[in-house]
Amino acid sequence: MVKKKYVLKKGVVLRPYGVNSLLDNSNLTDSIAELMIKKGRADLSDFIQHKQIKKSK
Amino acid sequence: MAITGNRIAIKGVAAEPIIEEILFSNNTLNKGLVTFEDDVKAQTIFSEADATATMQAWISGAPTTQGSLNSWDAEITPEKVMFYQEFDPETLRFSRYKRSMLAGAWNNFSTEFERVVIGGIYAKRISLSAERNFWLGAKAATKATIAGLTAGVPNTSIGAEEQAMVAASLGEDGQFDGLLTKLLYNTSRDGGAAAVGERLKVVGATIDASNIKAEYDKVYSAIPAEVLENGQLPTIYAPYSHKQLITIFNNNVANYKDAFAVSGDSYMFNGLKIEFVPFPENVVLCAKKEHLFWVTDLMSDVNTMKMDKIAENREDYFLKSAMSIGAHVANQKFNVLYVG
């Protein structure tokens, strides 16, 4: 299974289409997350940031 | 479900009105905002037809057939659904409702509770649920199918915004595919294969009072010209909040007022009637009423409820309401769907 790039932080949900709409980690895909960020309905800070760790050689 | 909420044992007086929650009206039903196709028990055939005519050069000999004549059917069966609750009127014996119970230990049924809570609020809730499911319903399987489609720009592809809107807003009770779902994905085509709907896709934005006219212009300009030239004009279906946004837009002295003409409770845009329905925000549909169908067995089922004792040897009651309901979209390529 491919690991999702965008995972909402605990307690964060998005309501991009009004109070009766709901996006959480159960129905949020990476493409929808990117669309929400592009449209200004979500912020990068809503998501868990995966830091890339560089290993020293 | 038992009767819930705290009730105080009545000793003095109770203020007369019971303050009811404020609910929308089922305008779709009350104002007839779509076409109601009733007397549909099961498997009703909706037929559509089109043709092409090709002019060709005259020849004296054997002519070649050109053009096409096409007629195809879609079979629609409304989903049979119900609402069911049980309650014990004994739990109301010490409350304000005891005043409307008849004398005698056998009698614990409150006519006030029946009138206000069951016949009033609960019945209204059933009607609203039917309306919301008609517009917003989606089976889990259909939602999963739409989520799995590859989003793209062409009209034959599901839009990224449409996909997000389905994930976030469609479903309600999940018993059948409602009208917005049917606009986006259906089997109502020649051959009956399931595919993305032929609706005219308009990619929208977040609508507010400052851009509402510009966004409605996008919807208006996407309407095929022949739709405006033939028969009944199409209707614009919009979320409830747009009523407020339009008023705020018109209150701005700098704005051109004739775009949104408001008279009493009638709202128009460029001569097209706007009707407010339980749509998600940033979603607008423009279609002829005769293209949108509420399919059912009997219209009045929505307003019919059975109430009785659960059994002769019991004193608790049940409430049951049954109906069949489905949605169908015809002439798909003439309906404009805006999703922001």
Side-chain angles (χ1 to χ4, degrees):
Chain A
M1 191 168 164
V2 183
K3 196 177 174 189
K4 277 166 74 170
K5 189 175 162 191
Y6 294 94
V7 177
L8 286 165
K9 286 178 181 169
K10 196 177 174 187
V12 177
V13 294
L14 305 176
R15 298 190 184 277
Y17 294 94
V19 289
N20 291 319
S21 66
L22 176 72
L23 287 175
D24 58 19
N25 285 323
S26 70
N27 60 356
L28 186 78
T29 61
D30 286 344
S31 57
I32 292 176
E34 280 167 4
L35 180 76
M36 292 299 113
I37 294 167
K38 189 176 139 196
K39 286 191 165 275
R41 295 180 196 163
D43 192 85
L44 266 178
S45 63
D46 295 328
F47 301 94
I48 295 167
Q49 307 283 308
H50 294 288
K51 286 182 184 169
Q52 286 189 328
I53 300 164
K54 283 185 181 175
K55 285 182 183 171
S56 54
K57 288 179 184 176
Chain B
M1 181 66 162
I3 298 168
T4 56
N6 80 302
R7 287 168 301 281
I8 296 168
I10 189 163
K11 297 176 192 81
V13 291
E16 206 35 62
I18 295 170
I19 308 206
E20 300 177 31
E21 61 177 327
I22 299 170
L23 300 171
F24 287 111
S25 300
N26 181 345
N27 284 339
T28 310
L29 200 67
N30 298 345
K31 292 165 78 177
L33 300 185
V34 293
T35 306
F36 292 94
E37 190 71 25
D38 60 0
D39 201 19
V40 177
K41 190 64 78 180
Q43 296 168 314
T44 285
I45 291 170
F46 286 81
S47 302
E48 292 189 37
D50 57 29
T52 56
T54 309
M55 184 184 282
Q56 52 182 304
W58 167 263
I59 56 166
S60 299
T64 307
T65 181
Q66 286 191 24
S68 68
L69 302 168
N70 188 26
S71 178
W72 55 271
D73 300 328
E75 188 185 273
I76 308 295
T77 296
E79 196 73 31
K80 198 163 181 177
V81 294
M82 68 177 194
F83 297 85
Y84 181 78
Q85 284 209 53
E86 295 176 356
F87 68 99
D88 183 1
E90 182 65 15
T91 55
L92 302 174
R93 187 154 67 94
F94 295 95
S95 72
R96 64 174 290 146
Y97 296 106
K98 74 176 181 184
R99 300 172 307 167
S100 57
M101 293 174 187
L102 292 174
W106 283 103
N107 300 314
N108 62 356
F109 197 83
S110 159
T111 52
E112 186 184 32
F113 186 77
E114 181 193 9
R115 177 173 51 82
V116 177
V117 182
I118 298 171
I121 302 167
Y122 183 55
K124 220 185 264 185
R125 276 279 180 205
I126 289 175
S127 177
L128 279 180
S129 171
E131 184 192 34
R132 287 187 64 81
N133 277 287
F134 169 74
W135 290 108
L136 307 172
K139 286 183 173 177
T142 314
K143 282 186 77 167
T145 304
I146 294 174
L149 296 170
T150 304
V153 176
N155 202 61
T156 48
S157 300
I158 195 85
E161 287 80 3
E162 291 171 336
Q163 218 168 25
M165 187 270 288
V166 171
S169 298
L170 300 192
E172 280 288 307
D173 296 317
Q175 297 299 316
F176 68 101
D177 289 338
L179 201 106
L180 283 177
T181 309
K182 284 283 180 87
L183 276 160
L184 294 171
Y185 195 79
N186 60 61
T187 56
S188 303
R189 68 197 70 245
D190 198 2
V196 173
E198 295 169 85
R199 84 283 170 251
L200 295 164
K201 178 166 68 178
V202 176
V203 175
T206 303
I207 298 179
D208 57 32
S210 66
N211 70 356
I212 190 164
K213 184 192 167 292
E215 298 308 304
Y216 271 53
D217 279 342
K218 290 180 190 171
V219 175
Y220 188 79
S221 58
I223 303 168
E226 58 267 45
V227 171
L228 298 172
E229 290 295 323
N230 282 286
Q232 191 187 38
L233 284 172
T235 301
I236 295 174
Y237 299 87
Y240 294 119
S241 64
H242 285 197
K243 202 182 255 193
Q244 289 150 287
L245 298 183
I246 289 166
T247 305
I248 296 167
F249 175 88
N250 279 351
N251 283 345
N252 185 338
V253 289
N255 286 338
Y256 174 63
K257 300 288 183 299
D258 286 349
F260 290 105
V262 181
S263 171
D265 203 33
S266 171
Y267 288 68
M268 311 279 283
F269 178 71
N270 288 349
L272 303 182
K273 187 119 174 65
I274 306 171
E275 296 291 359
F276 302 98
V277 292
F279 266 9
E281 297 301 323
N282 311 313
V283 175
V284 176
L285 167 67
C286 182
K288 289 192 180 219
K289 183 180 148 180
E290 66 222 41
H291 295 172
L292 313 177
F293 291 90
W294 177 314
V295 187
T296 185
D297 192 338
L298 185 67
M299 267 333 292
S300 59
D301 277 346
V302 177
N303 301 318
T304 307
M305 191 172 3
K306 266 190 186 175
M307 181 173 67
D308 210 341
K309 284 184 180 177
I310 293 171
E312 272 305 304
N313 63 341
R314 292 176 61 162
E315 301 305 321
D316 48 359
Y317 282 69
F318 74 86
L319 294 167
K320 192 173 188 178
S321 181
M323 67 186 78
S324 68
I325 183 169
H328 175 62
V329 184
N331 253 348
Q332 296 188 59
K333 60 187 176 191
F334 297 103
N335 307 321
V336 179
L337 181 64
Y338 169 106
V339 181

